[in-house]
Amino acid sequence: MAAPVVLALGGSLLRPEESERHAWLSALADTLSRCKTPVGIVVGGGAPAREAIELAKPVVDDVAALDEIGIAATRLNASIVAQVLQGAGIDVCIGIPSDVSSAARGLDNHSVVVMGGTRPGHTTDNVAIRLAIEAGATRCLIATNVSHVYDSDPRGNPNASSIESMTLSELQEIVGPPVHGAAGGSGVIDPIGVQAAIDHKLPLAVLDGREIERISNALAGKSFIGTQVEVD
Ligand code: UTP
């Protein structure tokens, strides 16, 4: 069987206030139904994670405890995606695996496995990269709500430049050292995951997941709009 591909879906892609979300979920199902390789999907927490962490923060000061709340939100979002895919007739693993080993085993028997977070101390970017390593995936695609990796944060710097192609160590220079920030904190990609990709020589790609065609092209190994992050 062809090697799997792993796709991290940033939780912002499921934002309830996103008016096109139903069309987006249907298009995602359509893309996955045509995919020729097994796909491991790792879904982020997005708005429910942020809201729940903010709710708890004034009375919960332990980062790991706040992380657990974030993990619950990622699994909620993963359940939505898994149910949509199952409803579309895709052979998706029933149940949300709680660790990457179970998810990797699921990919031996199913076309698609959907999961969320695993344990405190990192984000779903790192879970996706770990799943890609465990499952022998060729590449880990990080679908988020920006078009590329930028040389500085485009939210704060209007002159930030997008990057089409870079190495893992160049990406590490941008995201910083492999430490877990605050629960619910958000950079372009989790630095802990970038370190794991460096250690295991796993190529990454960062793309705008709101554009399903980009996900579709990247899953098929075709050229796509986004940032290719190659092994040094
Ligand atoms: P996300 O993966 O959505 O992280 O997990 P994020 O970077 O904050 O959000 P995106 O990528 O922009 O959507 C939400 C939170 O859940 C906890 C962390 O606190 C994280 O910030 N989490 C998630 C874990 O502790 N472990 C996990 O395996 C996953």
Side-chain angles (χ1 to χ4, degrees), residues 10-12 43-46 49-50 53 66-71 74 116-125 127 180 182-187:
S12 63
V43 189
R50 266 195 308 282
I53 289 169
L66 293 171
D67 281 348
E68 291 288 4
I69 293 169
I71 292 168
T74 66
T118 53
R119 56 185 165 72
H122 55 221
T123 74
T124 46
D125 292 340
V127 176
H180 182 49
S186 184

Side-chain angles (χ1 to χ4, degrees), residues 14 33 37 50 58 62 75 98-99 128 142 145 149 168 181 194 198 207 212 229:
L14 282 89
S33 67
T37 55
R50 266 195 308 282
D62 177 28
R75 291 188 181 152
S98 54
D99 60 84
I142 312 275
N145 60 2
V149 176
L168 285 167
V194 173
I198 290 172
L207 63 147
I212 288 288
V229 190

Side-chain angles (χ1 to χ4, degrees), residues 5-86:
V5 179
V6 171
L7 172 65
L9 293 177
S12 63
L13 300 172
L14 282 89
R15 285 175 77 95
E17 58 270 43
E18 173 63 66
S19 61
E20 297 297 326
R21 71 188 185 281
H22 294 127
W24 182 84
L25 283 165
S26 299
L28 178 70
D30 188 49
T31 287
L32 289 164
S33 67
R34 284 184 281 103
C35 196
K36 303 217 174 352
T37 55
V39 183
I41 299 180
V42 183
V43 189
R50 266 195 308 282
E51 187 184 332
I53 289 169
E54 284 310 313
L55 192 67
K57 240 180 203 168
V59 282
V60 177
D61 59 7
D62 177 28
V63 175
L66 293 171
D67 281 348
E68 291 288 4
I69 293 169
I71 292 168
T74 66
R75 291 188 181 152
L76 172 75
N77 280 343
S79 299
I80 295 170
V81 172
Q83 293 298 335
V84 167
L85 300 184
Q86 194 189 15

Side-chain angles (χ1 to χ4, degrees), residues 171-210:
L171 178 61
Q172 189 171 49
E173 278 171 32
I174 290 173
V175 300
V179 287
H180 182 49
S186 184
V188 63
I189 171 164
D190 187 339
I192 297 177
V194 173
Q195 184 65 55
I198 290 172
D199 293 345
H200 294 269
K201 302 193 185 322
L202 177 75
L204 306 177
V206 178
L207 63 147
D208 189 338
R210 295 169 297 188

